[in-house]
Amino acid sequence: EAGVAQSPRYKIIEKRQSVAFWCNPISGHATLYWYQQILGQGPKLLIQFQNNGVVDDSQLPKDRFSAERLKGVDSTLKIQPAKLEDSAVYLCASSSEGFPSYNEQFFGPGTRLTVL
Amino acid sequence: AQKVTQAQTEISVVEKEDVTLDCVYETRDTTYYLFWYKQPPSGELVFLIRRNSFDEQNEISGRYSWNFQKSTSSFNFTITASQVVDSAVYFCALSEARGGGNKLTFGTGTQLKVEL
């Protein structure tokens, strides 16, 4: 079974530029998550989708971050414009369902973003 | 609000030593789930174990064992006879059985270095 795919693996941009990340979850997984992991910290949930609807985006900085999952499969996360503090690894995860809460989340390899 | 504390930032051991990684959590829910994930240098988070709040039995899987104690809100992880391949960052995480979603709250992680 193929795992969660993410691209690109690395991205370097200058502040105020835009960037987009792509995620393809495990086939059949209805729930998709985007996490931000700043160096030395644990991952922090940015947004959670159930199929193509948003379940939780309470920690997404909506003035600059946006995410979509149009057909309930792939997802893109965009930052526009980027700030220095956005430098982090962006992890995508998926699970078979968001309910109940014990369902295991499978993580992709992440995209390491450096903002100069 | 839920919180996970991993007080040990970094632990260094010599191969074949036993090592325990501590995890303390806070939650107001009576139903919740605890997880341990491993993050090797490649960056991908690997699921190790899940435990629900109603099951306080300790679990052993090969060289890994977990001790869950609700009285002290702790969910500690022990590696017996550590190996160099165990070197990684280990995260403890908590998920509450709320009305919606499967949000994981992670601790800050413990960097384990196993040396020859």
Side-chain angles (χ1 to χ4, degrees):
Chain A
E1 179 183 79
V4 176
Q6 290 187 248
S7 68
R9 289 296 311 277
Y10 305 91
K11 190 73 177 179
I12 300 174
I13 62 173
E14 295 190 351
K15 60 183 179 183
R16 291 188 288 274
Q17 285 188 325
S18 302
V19 65
F21 313 127
W22 173 82
C23 172
N24 182 240
I26 291 173
S27 178
H29 278 192
T31 309
L32 185 147
Y33 314 79
W34 282 102
Y35 288 86
Q36 180 193 57
Q37 185 177 16
I38 293 173
L39 185 65
Q41 299 182 17
K44 180 185 80 172
L45 180 70
L46 291 176
I47 189 167
Q48 177 185 346
F49 292 95
Q50 179 77 12
N51 296 307
N52 59 352
V54 175
V55 174
D56 185 347
D57 64 355
S58 57
Q59 299 190 94
L60 186 73
K62 298 180 185 64
D63 58 333
R64 297 183 301 105
F65 286 64
S66 64
E68 60 183 12
R69 193 184 184 199
L70 292 176
K71 296 182 179 179
V73 181
D74 293 7
S75 176
T76 56
L77 176 69
K78 297 180 182 178
I79 307 175
Q80 180 179 10
K83 292 185 175 181
L84 295 177
E85 59 261 35
D86 297 332
S87 294
V89 175
Y90 291 85
L91 294 163
C92 180
S94 69
S95 64
S96 55
E97 286 293 340
F99 315 90
S101 301
Y102 58 72
N103 280 335
E104 173 189 348
Q105 295 181 27
F106 295 83
F107 285 80
T111 296
R112 183 177 297 277
L113 173 67
T114 301
V115 182
L116 303 175
Chain B
Q2 53 187 1
K3 183 180 178 182
V4 177
T5 301
Q6 294 181 257
Q8 303 153 309
T9 304
E10 184 174 319
I11 300 176
S12 290
V13 299
V14 176
E15 201 174 39
K16 298 183 183 177
E17 285 186 0
D18 298 347
V19 58
T20 296
L21 310 181
D22 298 333
C23 173
V24 175
Y25 61 92
E26 296 177 27
T27 177
R28 287 181 288 187
D29 277 15
T30 55
T31 302
Y32 52 89
Y33 304 91
L34 294 163
F35 301 78
W36 276 94
Y37 279 86
K38 174 182 180 180
Q39 189 173 44
S42 61
E44 193 164 333
L45 282 160
V46 178
F47 169 81
L48 295 178
I49 190 171
R50 167 187 56 235
R51 173 65 74 229
N52 74 57
S53 53
F54 297 108
D55 182 2
E56 288 194 69
Q57 283 189 344
N58 292 334
E59 181 156 339
I60 298 175
S61 176
R63 296 184 297 107
Y64 296 169
S65 63
W66 290 269
N67 179 252
F68 175 33
Q69 293 192 340
K70 287 182 72 172
S71 60
T72 56
S73 297
S74 65
F75 186 43
N76 296 337
F77 172 32
T78 297
I79 302 175
T80 302
S82 60
Q83 300 176 2
V84 172
V85 293
D86 296 327
S87 297
V89 180
Y90 290 86
F91 290 95
C92 180
L94 167 70
S95 176
E96 292 176 336
R98 297 175 293 133
N102 185 20
K103 174 182 175 180
L104 282 175
T105 297
F106 285 85
T108 51
T110 297
Q111 170 87 57
L112 174 64
K113 294 184 179 180
V114 182
E115 300 167 334
L116 292 171

